[in-house]
């Protein structure tokens, strides 16, 4: 076929059974990453407009406590709490209850944006302080 880059000598896709063990692990890792990207946040059953529980895959106390704090800064949120259902599973559940002025999904989105903004500020401050320190050390070394 004109313009085709495939040749008959190229390897065809292998089934998991035919692949070498290291290739099987790589394929499984890629499949796990795809699954996590697809189901990173799940709305748990029983959600209403103003109250919902969300399950975050692959997250723990670091995101849970930070996100809870960011969401509770929103005056339209009545309650926000998180829990780690079991220490052997990397899942974090977050419960949000809002007043009638907003819904739980909007509160989650606003909390995530607020947390990202906070992380950007911390990164900027850290980078600036590190660069100042490195410049001061370079001046000491050159004198």
């Amino acid at each position: 076929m004109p313009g085709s880059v495939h040749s008959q000598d190229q390897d065809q896709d292998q089934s998991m059974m035919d692949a070498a063990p290291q290739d099987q692990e790589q394929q499984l890792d890629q499949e796990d990453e795809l699954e996590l990207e697809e189901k990173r946040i799940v709305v748990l059953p029983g959600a209403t407009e103003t109250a919902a529980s969300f399950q975050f895959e692959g997250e723990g106390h670091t995101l849970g406590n930070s996100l809870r704090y960011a969401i509770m800064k929103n005056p339209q949120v009545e309650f926000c709490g998180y829990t780690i259902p079991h220490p052997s599973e990397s899942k974090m559940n977050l419960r949000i209850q809002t007043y009638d002025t907003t819904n739980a999904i909007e509160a989650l989105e606003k909390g995530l944006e607020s947390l990202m903004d906070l992380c950007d500020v911390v990164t900027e401050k850290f980078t600036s302080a590190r660069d100042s320190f490195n410049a001061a050390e370079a001046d000491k070394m050159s004198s």
Side-chain angles (χ1 to χ4, degrees):
M1 174 186 273
S4 176
V5 294
H6 297 293
S7 70
Q8 293 183 8
D9 295 330
Q10 286 182 323
D11 293 334
Q12 298 296 319
D13 289 339
Q14 297 177 344
S15 72
M16 285 293 288
M17 299 301 287
D18 297 334
Q22 64 272 16
D23 293 337
Q24 288 178 5
E25 289 175 19
Q26 184 179 7
Q27 284 179 327
L28 289 174
D29 289 344
Q30 289 171 350
E31 289 171 10
D32 289 343
E33 287 175 17
L34 289 175
E35 283 182 27
L36 282 178
E37 289 175 12
E38 292 173 12
K39 299 188 235 175
R40 196 72 198 263
I41 303 173
V42 176
V43 180
L44 296 176
T48 65
E49 276 290 308
T50 59
S53 294
F54 305 90
Q55 186 169 70
F56 291 72
E57 292 286 334
E59 298 297 342
H61 291 286
T62 303
L63 180 66
N65 197 34
S66 303
L67 189 54
R68 181 202 58 78
Y69 174 78
I71 291 171
M72 282 304 298
K73 301 278 285 178
N74 182 347
Q76 299 171 337
V77 172
E78 183 177 13
F79 170 81
C80 182
Y82 82 96
T83 183
I84 305 297
H86 195 277
S88 68
E89 296 180 29
S90 62
K91 295 179 182 178
M92 184 264 299
N93 293 345
L94 181 78
R95 174 78 176 170
I96 301 173
Q97 292 175 214
T98 65
Y99 296 109
D100 291 334
T101 55
T102 189
N103 66 48
I105 292 175
E106 288 174 0
L108 176 61
E109 289 172 350
K110 187 174 180 179
L112 287 167
E113 288 172 8
S114 175
L115 189 56
M116 286 189 297
D117 292 344
L118 178 64
C119 288
D120 290 342
V121 169
V122 170
T123 299
E124 285 176 21
K125 297 272 184 181
F126 173 81
T127 303
S128 175
R130 183 200 60 204
D131 292 346
S132 296
F133 176 80
N134 287 343
E137 287 297 310
D139 286 344
K140 284 182 187 178
M141 298 297 267
S142 65
S143 8

